[in-house]
Amino acid sequence: MSSWGRVVMDVPDWIDDMASPGVSFEPKDRMPFVIELARRNVVEQTGGPFGAAIFESVTGNLVAPGVNRVVPTAISFAHAETTAIGLANQRLGVFDLGGDGLPAMELVASTEPCALCMGATVWSGVRKLVTGARDEDARSIGFDEGPKVADWQDALRSRGIAVEVDVMREEAAAVLDMYAVSGALIYNGRSDA
Amino acid sequence: MSSWGRVVMDVPDWIDDMASPGVSFEPKDRMPFVIELARRNVVEQTGGPFGAAIFESVTGNLVAPGVNRVVPTAISFAHAETTAIGLANQRLGVFDLGGDGLPAMELVASTEPCALCMGATVWSGVRKLVTGARDEDARSIGFDEGPKVADWQDALRSRGIAVEVDVMREEAAAVLDMYAVSGALIYNGRSDA
């Protein structure tokens, strides 16, 4: 290891209570799982109110879960999506989840992607993105989604990534509201922004 | 550690030959250092042709270096900028490099940011972004910068981040050309894209 150290992104141990490697989810059960990740992350005070997961689209095999870990890890880009993508990359040993010989994978996220996670979705190689709460739901409690192209759904579709939004939006937004009521830190990169 | 493992981003050991914690750089020496990171990353075959670093703007103290590590680590978002930002976050133990009590910091990158790194720059808390090669220089050798807002410089400035582009553009673009000539893998998230 160089003298500059390493960046270590992780997920909380309580995720093992919810799902271990080898578990599969029917399509209808994927968003509820991701919303529960977000909810439990708030309850356990292990990060922000966001959950995400990568599944094999056909089998439903859970490739990797993720939750927001910005505050506990002090990594500014440790969002739920990047955490799930990074874990999937390293578990499979491939930087391209859409590469030859791999089953099609989808990213399911409790909220529409911020500017960072939009880019991360493109580079991940997933073939589909499914989201719950909208950008405006995140903004309504003080989170900033960042400078993202206005036509982000079309931008993803034009790159071969299917997009499905508003899946269980109310249930997903309820976790955001719960977090806001809890008085936890709404961070936005700059604490004085 | 949960059964899902961890995401470990690092920099190559050869960076210790170039700079160790405690070293400082005059403003004019910052971009040459970052371009040399990119060049050496190609020569050592430890990743893509991109370098970045975070400096304290006034003192020039090198807070963290970064190089592209996508292929060696299999992490799709292990770009030079995210690596430098993550190392800076974890070395200082803060997710917000622009937080109270910290000196102003700048991100110097050998190429203009892709969509992902634009978002990461915003969330990092740096107060300034300095770039060398342009988006079109990266595109000209086959790298994709992703769906990024057209007015990305203004988007950063409107968030309090100063932007300076085209610093040693030719020298930075020469590293991209060297990489292309080397025949190394030009990845774009999807190997079949």
Side-chain angles (χ1 to χ4, degrees), chain A residues 3 9 16 96 144 159 189 191, chain B residues 3 7 16 96 144 159 189 191:
Chain A
S3 61
M9 301 167 69
D16 284 341
D96 180 8
D144 180 359
R159 288 162 180 270
S191 54
Chain B
S3 61
V7 184
D16 285 340
D96 180 8
D144 180 359
R159 288 164 180 269
S191 52

Side-chain angles (χ1 to χ4, degrees), chain A residues 1-13 15-16 19-21 62-65 70-71 73-77 79 82 85-87 89-91 93-96 99 114-116 118-120 122-125 127 144-149 155 159 185 187-192, chain B residues 1-13 15-16 19-21 62-65 70-71 73-77 79 82 85-87 89-91 93-96 99 114-116 118-120 122-125 127 144-149 155 159 185 187-192:
Chain A
M1 183 166 71
S2 89
S3 61
W4 297 96
R6 302 184 302 179
V7 185
V8 180
M9 301 167 69
D10 63 3
V11 288
D13 290 346
I15 286 187
D16 284 341
S20 294
L62 177 61
V63 181
V70 171
V71 174
T73 64
I75 302 169
S76 52
F77 55 81
H79 290 194
T82 49
I85 290 168
L87 286 176
N89 285 146
Q90 290 211 325
R91 290 192 70 227
V94 294
F95 66 83
D96 180 8
C114 76
L116 165 82
M118 230 282 277
V122 172
W123 304 145
S124 73
R127 304 305 179 106
D144 180 359
E145 291 283 67
K148 184 169 68 166
V149 292
R159 288 162 180 270
L185 176 64
Y187 61 86
N188 268 312
R190 295 261 303 282
S191 54
D192 60 345
Chain B
M1 184 166 70
S2 90
S3 61
W4 297 96
R6 301 184 301 178
V7 184
V8 180
M9 301 167 70
D10 63 2
V11 288
D13 290 347
I15 287 187
D16 285 340
S20 294
L62 177 61
V63 182
V70 171
V71 173
T73 64
I75 302 169
S76 51
F77 55 81
H79 290 196
T82 49
I85 290 167
L87 286 177
N89 285 147
Q90 291 211 324
R91 289 192 70 230
V94 294
F95 65 84
D96 180 8
C114 76
L116 166 80
M118 228 284 276
V122 172
W123 303 145
S124 72
R127 303 305 179 105
D144 180 359
E145 291 281 69
K148 186 169 66 165
V149 291
R159 288 164 180 269
L185 175 64
Y187 62 87
N188 269 313
R190 295 261 304 282
S191 52
D192 61 345

Side-chain angles (χ1 to χ4, degrees), chain B residues 45-69:
Chain B
Q45 299 186 305
T46 44
F50 304 100
I54 291 175
F55 300 94
E56 291 179 13
S57 292
V58 173
T59 66
N61 177 47
L62 177 61
V63 182
V67 290
N68 178 292
R69 296 283 288 160

Side-chain angles (χ1 to χ4, degrees), chain B residues 1-48:
Chain B
M1 184 166 70
S2 90
S3 61
W4 297 96
R6 301 184 301 178
V7 184
V8 180
M9 301 167 70
D10 63 2
V11 288
D13 290 347
W14 55 253
I15 287 187
D16 285 340
D17 303 343
M18 288 178 57
S20 294
V23 69
S24 294
F25 290 79
E26 293 293 322
K28 71 174 173 46
D29 297 327
R30 296 174 196 174
M31 181 61 80
F33 171 69
V34 164
I35 293 172
E36 178 60 17
L37 285 175
R39 193 195 68 79
R40 186 138 175 201
N41 206 36
V42 175
V43 171
E44 301 273 1
Q45 299 186 305
T46 44

